[in-house]
Amino acid sequence: MKNLIYIILKCLLVTLPLLAVSACSTTGENRHSGAVEPTIILISLDGFSQQYLGEYPAPHIEQLMKEGVVAASMQPAFPTKTFPNHYSIVTGLYPGNHGIIENNIYDADFDAIFRMSKPEEVTDSRWWLGEPIWVTAELQGIKTGTYFYPGSEADIKGVRPSYWQTYDGNITNSERVRSVLQWLALPKAERPAFLTLYFSTIDDAGHRYGPNSEQVKSAVAEVDQAIGQLINGLKQQNLYNKVNLMLVSDHGMAEVPPEQVIVVDSLFDANKAVLTLWTPEIVSIFPKAGELENIYQQLSAGLPASAKVYRKQDLPDRWHYKQSKRVAPLLIIPNPGWRLMQQSQYQRWQARADQQSVAGSHGYDNIAAEMQAIFIGHGPAFAKGKTIPSFANIELYNLMCEILDITPAANDGDLKWTRQLLQLKKQQISQ
């Protein structure tokens, strides 16, 4: 009988605190049942140039820098475009290996063109090679939630995040933050341990007005406010120092004066190409049979010193790019601050009222100072108040796998870098 009473009392001692936690969850004081597992929130600040840090006020971001680890810069992969670099961050692969080599891609095997504006292609898994972190985690029993992230709308390897959203640029930054906080408030069995947030505000302003504009300054302040909302929400849920925040950007932004334009199709016979994919920073030319050398010679003779034409095999090895079958036989790449145009596009652009305005762009050589991105790590995995040297964004996949305690898929990163970074926290604890 005494043993029975002891067992009942013991059960009550265990049950009552759980009931208290459940009651608290209705008041917002503590929404969690169970301990917090290693958790990462990957926050992408699209177009946040490393040069903006310290230049534009951002008190909440600066708070995370002081309380965590900040890199001198983070080097994007080539090309310094949105989709290629977002996918490099979550796969640890160079674009030449993960297949998202540009925002616009032609694949001869599919005889199809991938564009950011084509949802039917963006959601098609055939384009997305490699294994993004949310797939790695889900395959190893960890729930994930992506509130917008390139690639997360496709069923890569037959897997999608447990929670994901179709991209909608009209959803406010504040609503995005609220939704992620709601995911974190789920019961332990349902709660994701890897989450993403994505903000395009800074990139949008940088493109339209240039990186040195008041509009970019305001955009940084707006995104910083959203980061502040996230910090406050985490504090309310008693999670601020229990989850790992990783603030990253995909690339920087270069100022583009209006006069720095190269009209490319005035320099070669475009009829000698089967297909040409045009962007202001990269023109990809697929020549007709026997015409490659003719086009190459025409462009070599006609292009100004501010741009260069490359045969695929002559692309710099440091770009880790030419191994992809999706890379065109000829590429034209300008120096930072220059834009490439077609004649028809140039004529329309000249007629625009704002054609004399400074703009901004990215996609250039990934070693250019203007293209450098940011990395800030905050939380239980990261040391406090440390600045680390510049590094390549392909290292982050291994870092996230190590924090989540999952086995990474094959990638281009170096585990030594990850372990050295995490060692900083251990050294700090032991001191």
Side-chain angles (χ1 to χ4, degrees):
M1 186 68 177
K2 289 181 179 179
N3 288 340
L4 179 60
I5 294 171
Y6 172 77
I7 291 170
I8 292 171
L9 288 172
K10 186 175 181 181
C11 288
L12 286 171
L13 288 172
V14 171
T15 304
L16 287 173
L18 292 176
L19 291 173
V21 168
S22 177
C24 286
S25 69
T26 61
T27 66
E29 293 177 12
N30 187 339
R31 298 174 183 268
H32 290 271
S33 57
V36 179
E37 301 293 340
T39 300
I40 297 170
I41 307 177
L42 177 65
I43 306 167
S44 170
L45 313 183
D46 196 330
F48 196 119
S49 172
Q50 185 274 335
Q51 296 175 332
Y52 296 165
L53 289 178
E55 180 178 356
Y56 297 131
H60 298 106
I61 293 173
E62 290 164 9
Q63 174 186 341
L64 296 177
M65 292 169 61
K66 291 175 184 176
E67 296 176 355
V69 169
V70 59
S73 67
M74 185 171 74
Q75 186 179 85
F78 178 85
T80 50
K81 295 288 190 81
T82 297
F83 268 44
N85 276 280
H86 274 89
Y87 204 52
S88 284
I89 287 169
V90 294
T91 61
L93 296 170
Y94 294 109
N97 291 329
H98 64 53
I100 305 300
I101 60 161
E102 237 273 35
N103 291 338
N104 304 314
I105 309 164
Y106 173 70
D107 191 298
D109 290 346
F110 312 148
D111 191 24
I113 296 175
F114 173 103
R115 297 186 194 278
M116 294 171 59
S117 59
K118 295 173 70 174
E120 67 275 17
E121 299 299 343
V122 170
T123 58
D124 193 328
S125 61
R126 65 184 178 174
W127 294 100
W128 306 87
L129 310 179
E131 185 176 292
I133 182 69
W134 56 82
V135 172
T136 306
E138 294 280 351
L139 289 174
Q140 297 180 49
I142 294 177
K143 290 188 180 297
T144 63
T146 55
Y147 208 97
F148 304 155
Y149 201 94
S152 63
E153 296 177 48
D155 59 342
I156 301 168
K157 295 191 173 182
V159 178
R160 280 195 173 97
S162 296
Y163 311 96
W164 59 279
Q165 297 286 329
T166 300
Y167 183 72
D168 182 352
N170 293 318
I171 295 179
T172 65
N173 293 340
S174 180
E175 177 58 32
R176 300 177 195 194
V177 171
R178 283 197 298 271
S179 296
V180 164
L181 289 170
Q182 287 169 2
W183 285 344
L184 286 169
L186 292 169
K188 183 178 179 181
E190 302 170 28
R191 187 168 62 227
F194 172 80
L195 308 94
T196 70
L197 268 170
Y198 171 79
F199 304 116
S200 65
T201 313
I202 297 168
D203 186 66
D204 294 341
H207 276 296
R208 186 167 183 182
Y209 302 104
N212 301 310
S213 62
E214 285 297 314
Q215 289 86 351
V216 166
K217 180 180 179 180
S218 296
V220 170
E222 179 182 334
V223 169
D224 185 70
Q225 186 176 17
I227 299 299
Q229 179 188 348
L230 177 65
I231 290 172
N232 289 335
L234 292 174
K235 287 181 177 178
Q236 290 172 10
Q237 296 188 32
N238 192 28
L239 289 176
Y240 179 57
N241 291 312
K242 297 179 181 178
V243 304
N244 295 288
L245 303 179
M246 291 173 55
L247 272 72
V248 301
S249 56
D250 47 353
H251 52 71
M253 187 72 68
E255 185 171 276
V256 184
E259 68 275 9
Q260 294 188 175
V261 175
I262 303 168
V263 183
V264 175
D265 57 349
S266 66
L267 305 176
F268 79 105
D269 185 354
N271 292 321
K272 293 182 178 180
V274 175
L275 172 69
T276 304
L277 296 177
W278 295 87
T279 73
E281 308 82 21
I282 302 176
V283 173
S284 301
I285 303 172
F286 297 82
K288 291 179 179 177
E291 296 293 351
L292 187 151
E293 196 60 26
N294 290 331
I295 297 174
Y296 176 77
Q297 293 300 332
Q298 283 182 306
L299 289 168
S300 295
L303 282 170
S306 51
K308 184 174 181 179
V309 59
Y310 291 90
R311 301 182 189 91
K312 180 177 179 177
Q313 64 267 28
D314 298 330
L315 292 169
D317 290 338
R318 61 183 175 82
W319 287 349
H320 304 276
Y321 196 59
K322 57 189 172 186
Q323 66 270 26
S324 175
K325 65 180 182 179
R326 295 174 179 173
V327 173
L330 291 174
L331 294 179
I332 306 171
I333 301 168
N335 293 341
W338 286 79
R339 73 183 97 189
L340 307 173
M341 284 191 183
Q342 294 172 269
Q343 295 181 71
S344 58
Q345 181 188 16
Y346 183 62
Q347 290 168 359
R348 293 193 301 271
W349 178 75
Q350 282 189 308
R352 284 169 43 181
D354 64 346
Q355 63 93 9
Q356 292 301 317
S357 301
V358 169
S361 201
H362 55 87
Y364 308 107
D365 194 334
N366 65 327
I367 65 170
E370 304 96 319
M371 294 298 98
Q372 301 312 296
I374 66 164
F375 170 79
I376 301 166
H378 180 283
F382 298 103
K384 183 175 181 179
K386 292 287 185 178
T387 298
I388 60 173
S390 299
F391 67 95
N393 66 9
I394 57 162
E395 304 295 353
L396 294 185
Y397 172 76
N398 280 332
L399 174 62
M400 292 186 287
C401 287
E402 195 81 357
I403 291 172
L404 296 175
D405 194 23
I406 55 179
T407 303
N411 65 87
D412 296 322
D414 184 352
L415 268 172
K416 290 180 182 178
W417 180 89
T418 288
R419 288 165 182 165
Q420 287 172 355
L421 175 60
L422 297 179
Q423 186 65 25
L424 292 175
K425 179 61 177 281
K426 295 177 183 178
Q427 292 171 351
Q428 207 166 57
I429 292 173
S430 65
Q431 289 174 354

